[in-house]
Amino acid sequence: MRILIPISLILFMCMTSVNAQTNANIPGPENVLVVYKMPSGSTDTLGLISDSVLNYYKTARGIPVSNIFGLDSLVSQNITISGVTHPVIIAEGGNIIRDELNHEWGTWYATQHAWKYFYQYIAAPIKEYIAVNNLNSIDSGNPW
């Protein structure tokens, strides 16, 4: 019994400090940026699927046209860092950015070449699109 009271008190204090979740500040369509892979032709299955998902969200969620950004350069590239060139590929149906040399060597970690590809062909274009189109209301999902 001596232990039950302190534990109950601690639990009570913890429960009162938890904030209740509410529906306040739910992001609206103006706070969302839909990024998709633009189809590169009628045989680009991933691009066609991405296009279908885009059309669903655009219609179902009412996403404004200004909040839709298509990436059209998601293809394998040779990336050079400090004079060393590695082929970086999009693998696994478009889900993985892979340094092809490291894959052949059996090294499975992300390399500087793969990160440079990600930044150059994905992150930087998205960042530029947001800045150029003044989409300050896009919610990054980062609470900090």
Side-chain angles (χ1 to χ4, degrees):
M1 189 68 155
R2 256 187 330 184
I3 255 180
L4 182 62
I5 293 173
I7 289 176
S8 298
L9 182 61
I10 290 171
L11 287 174
F12 176 74
M13 290 171 50
C14 289
M15 289 179 69
T16 59
S17 67
V18 175
N19 294 329
Q21 290 189 355
T22 66
N23 290 332
N25 300 323
I26 293 178
E30 68 280 355
N31 305 112
V32 175
L33 179 68
V34 177
V35 179
Y36 73 105
K37 181 189 182 302
M38 295 173 65
S40 59
S42 60
T43 60
D44 182 7
T45 307
L46 179 63
L48 296 173
I49 291 170
S50 184
D51 200 42
S52 297
V53 173
L54 159 72
N55 289 327
Y56 167 78
Y57 274 98
K58 182 171 63 174
T59 304
R61 307 289 187 205
I63 306 295
V65 174
S66 62
N67 290 32
I68 297 172
F69 178 62
L71 292 170
D72 61 356
S73 58
L74 297 179
V75 294
S76 300
Q77 300 285 344
N78 288 325
I79 303 294
T80 302
I81 297 176
S82 301
V84 177
T85 301
H86 286 206
V88 176
I89 64 169
I90 303 296
E92 305 297 327
N95 293 319
I96 296 176
I97 300 169
R98 177 181 294 153
D99 183 324
E100 185 62 19
L101 292 180
N102 275 21
H103 179 69
E104 289 174 12
W105 297 330
T107 311
W108 301 103
Y109 59 88
T111 64
Q112 289 180 334
H113 294 85
W115 281 111
K116 183 176 179 182
Y117 178 99
F118 169 77
Y119 184 78
Q120 186 172 347
Y121 292 99
I122 298 173
I126 292 170
K127 181 179 176 182
E128 181 180 348
Y129 183 82
I130 289 172
V132 166
N133 291 286
N134 200 26
L135 298 175
N136 298 326
S137 65
I138 298 298
D139 184 2
S140 68
N142 186 348
W144 299 280

